[in-house]
Amino acid sequence: MKKLTILSAAVMIALSAPAALAKVSQADADKLGTSLTPLGAEKAANADGSIPAWGGGISKPIAGYTKGMHHPDPFPSDKALFTITNANKAQYAEFLSPGQKELFEVYPDTYKMNVYESRRTAAVPQYVYDATKVNAARAELVSQGNGITGATIGVPFPIPANGLEVIWNHILRFRGVDVETYRSQAAPMSNGSYTLVETAEAIRFEYSRPEVTLDKLKETNTLFYFKQVVTQPARLAGTALLVKETMDQEALPRQAWTYNTGQRRVRKAPNVAFDTPGTVSDGLRTTDDFDMFNGSPMRYNWELVGKKELYIPYNDYRLHSDALKYDQILKPGHINPEYARYEKHRVWEVKATLKEGMRHTYKTRVFYIDEDSWQISVTDIYDNRDELYRVGVAHSINYYEVPTLWSTLEVFHDLQSRRYLAMGLDNEGRMYNFDASLSEANFTPDALRRAGIR
């Protein structure tokens, strides 16, 4: 696969080195907002213009939008430039991941990718850009890469030197401050039948708060709080999960609690991490698959392979629309490809290889991370036989009232069972609330018990 130049030869040398702890120079930090975007992407267009220059993204709501709506498509007149199918995939192989190619092989008659004009819509608030520039010159990995220091609010490593820094950029990318979501997930059977699981989630991002300080983050050692309550189906309603994610996971690993409706008790849940099966996922994802990757990176060696161009889901407003019903999206084998939008973007390629002596269902994971937002867009997952096992795909939009680019639907394809898990369905539900007012009192074991009672 064709690799693109990465800043300089000096950085290329660093890519194959162990995780570096050094901060970038002020001269490099000053490239942010000039030759680089404020978050560290290449500002210029690519050589043939198929990826345009970044012009600021969508930084405010578009005409006709009011809060609470499903987000209208900013590009309603766009038509697909071409469609990739199993028959012509070789023509576009340079811009497809191995996992994407395998999906064409597994579903030769039904799987396809409609490719549209590339629109670099990613944007975040100005205070996040400002914090990112400060972080660039002071952020460091600590605890053998199992934590960070010297960063607040913005991307910690906008000019990354290694794979660990890139994955921390994904983990800490800006997604709002206090957020409530109402999402559903489904794991269709081979015939397309499914049971919808509905959840209510709340997230308080300590790291992203405008008023947060380095001292406060060090004192609390908290990145965010997360609470999830299952509301449907009735047999699962009230099942609840609480997570406190830490900034230095060696000093204090993730703290988690669960509420079981049958026992009507809150229990500490130290196993809510790594390859423990995800909540009500029918065994089709691991806990650390949530948000494409989350939690401690300690079990893997992380290699920054480089940067390349890839067809990834982007500006998937049609897939996000409340004009669609779940039955229109969820089909046997994979989601309905007619509603998905793919664009060519530059991505960072990071390879995670299981460390010797560590255990995980996944031996190797290759992540493709959007340069503009640090959102993992595609992940190819290999089992302990070195065979492709799963392919994860994040369909993203710019939630322009914030603004932030975040997934609206994540799909994990299990190539062995030929099933998939669709997470984040919101077409028939309420829209995300980015104006929630959440306190730490919302994220205690007692609060979890109260939320779980049905």
Side-chain angles (χ1 to χ4, degrees):
M1 294 179 290
K2 180 180 177 181
K3 300 297 187 292
L4 302 181
T5 302
I6 306 179
L7 295 181
S8 68
V11 175
M12 286 299 296
I13 293 171
L15 301 186
S16 58
L21 300 183
K23 297 161 269 193
V24 303
S25 68
Q26 189 59 52
D28 280 340
D30 288 342
K31 295 176 183 177
L32 299 170
T34 55
S35 59
L36 301 177
T37 72
L39 294 188
E42 295 177 49
K43 200 170 189 178
N46 66 345
D48 65 7
S50 56
I51 299 173
W54 183 80
I58 302 179
S59 58
K60 60 183 179 180
I62 67 170
Y65 170 79
T66 57
K67 287 186 178 181
M69 293 175 60
H70 282 67
H71 300 72
D73 189 346
F75 316 110
S77 300
D78 281 7
K79 305 296 182 184
L81 302 176
F82 54 88
T83 298
I84 307 173
T85 67
N86 190 54
N88 68 359
K89 66 179 185 297
Q91 181 181 345
Y92 304 100
E94 182 180 2
F95 307 112
L96 297 171
S97 79
Q100 289 175 318
K101 295 173 189 175
E102 188 65 17
L103 288 172
F104 289 110
E105 295 282 346
V106 173
Y107 306 106
D109 299 322
T110 57
Y111 188 77
K112 64 181 181 180
M113 291 168 53
N114 291 322
V115 179
Y116 290 74
E117 177 183 352
S118 297
R119 307 274 195 174
R120 297 179 68 179
T121 53
V124 295
Q126 183 62 46
Y127 80 91
V128 181
Y129 292 141
D130 296 340
T132 297
K133 190 165 187 177
V134 174
N135 291 343
R138 72 181 185 188
E140 297 178 276
L141 296 172
V142 296
S143 302
Q144 291 75 52
N146 207 26
I148 68 163
T149 188
T152 62
I153 303 170
V155 171
F157 307 108
I159 305 175
N162 54 68
L164 263 174
E165 291 185 350
V166 173
I167 209 67
W168 273 107
N169 286 348
H170 165 78
I171 292 169
L172 295 178
R173 72 201 189 281
F174 180 80
R175 286 164 285 168
V177 178
D178 291 329
V179 187
E180 292 175 331
T181 70
Y182 312 92
R183 310 192 300 172
S184 299
Q185 66 182 49
M189 304 300 289
S190 58
N191 63 1
S193 64
Y194 62 88
T195 298
L196 199 68
V197 178
E198 299 178 3
T199 61
E201 299 170 353
I203 316 172
R204 177 182 162 95
F205 291 103
E206 298 296 322
Y207 177 88
S208 301
R209 310 192 78 77
E211 71 277 9
V212 76
T213 64
L214 289 176
D215 287 343
K216 179 66 173 178
L217 285 176
K218 185 175 181 179
E219 175 190 345
T220 63
N221 192 21
T222 303
L223 292 176
F224 62 80
Y225 296 97
F226 172 81
K227 183 169 63 180
Q228 179 189 71
V229 181
V230 178
T231 57
Q232 292 290 340
R235 62 183 174 83
L236 297 174
T239 302
L241 169 68
L242 172 65
V243 172
K244 174 186 176 181
E245 193 74 305
T246 55
M247 191 165 184
D248 184 341
Q249 299 223 357
E250 185 171 280
L252 180 66
R254 164 185 288 172
Q255 305 292 290
W257 298 261
T258 57
Y259 177 80
N260 183 289
T261 55
Q263 298 174 340
R264 302 182 72 83
R265 292 181 60 186
V266 173
R267 292 183 178 272
K268 198 80 179 285
N271 292 327
V272 177
F274 302 113
D275 60 351
T276 302
T279 306
V280 292
S281 66
D282 217 5
L284 294 174
R285 72 164 177 90
T286 61
T287 294
D288 61 9
D289 278 328
F290 190 86
D291 192 36
M292 304 301 282
F293 180 82
N294 73 90
S296 168
M298 68 176 291
R299 294 192 180 182
Y300 290 92
N301 292 312
W302 298 85
E303 175 191 358
L304 183 50
V305 179
K307 193 182 279 189
K308 71 184 309 290
E309 295 174 2
L310 198 74
Y311 293 124
I312 60 175
Y314 224 88
N315 296 311
D316 257 313
Y317 292 93
R318 189 179 181 199
L319 185 61
H320 166 82
S321 171
D322 59 353
L324 287 180
K325 300 297 184 183
Y326 297 143
D327 284 348
Q328 294 175 273
I329 297 171
L330 301 170
K331 300 298 179 182
H334 51 78
I335 66 168
N336 191 333
E338 293 294 348
Y339 301 120
R341 173 179 177 135
Y342 283 81
E343 301 177 3
K344 185 193 288 184
H345 286 262
R346 285 184 291 243
V347 296
W348 293 97
E349 181 179 352
V350 174
K351 183 177 182 181
T353 306
L354 193 63
K355 290 179 179 177
E356 185 176 355
M358 290 290 186
R359 182 194 62 78
H360 198 288
T361 302
Y362 304 153
K363 181 179 179 181
T364 305
R365 308 160 88 155
V366 182
F367 297 97
Y368 301 92
I369 299 102
D370 170 41
E371 69 166 347
D372 286 334
S373 64
W374 299 101
Q375 163 79 51
I376 295 173
S377 295
V378 175
T379 177
D380 293 345
I381 301 167
Y382 296 80
D383 62 20
N384 286 294
R385 300 169 297 173
D386 296 316
E387 295 182 0
L388 267 169
Y389 179 19
R390 290 175 176 164
V391 181
V393 182
H395 298 268
S396 302
I397 66 169
N398 181 328
Y399 294 85
Y400 34 66
E401 75 274 32
V402 184
T404 179
L405 191 136
W406 194 3
S407 59
T408 181
L409 182 66
E410 296 175 4
V411 182
F412 282 89
H413 300 270
D414 189 301
L415 301 175
Q416 296 175 7
S417 67
R418 301 204 171 190
R419 294 180 62 200
Y420 67 97
L421 176 69
M423 303 172 57
L425 294 159
D426 58 16
N427 309 74
E428 297 181 33
R430 287 182 287 173
M431 189 33 50
Y432 292 9
N433 175 17
F434 289 96
D435 292 329
S437 181
L438 303 172
S439 71
E440 294 179 28
N442 296 113
F443 299 93
T444 65
D446 282 346
L448 184 70
R449 179 183 56 81
R450 293 192 298 271
I453 294 174
R454 289 290 182 271

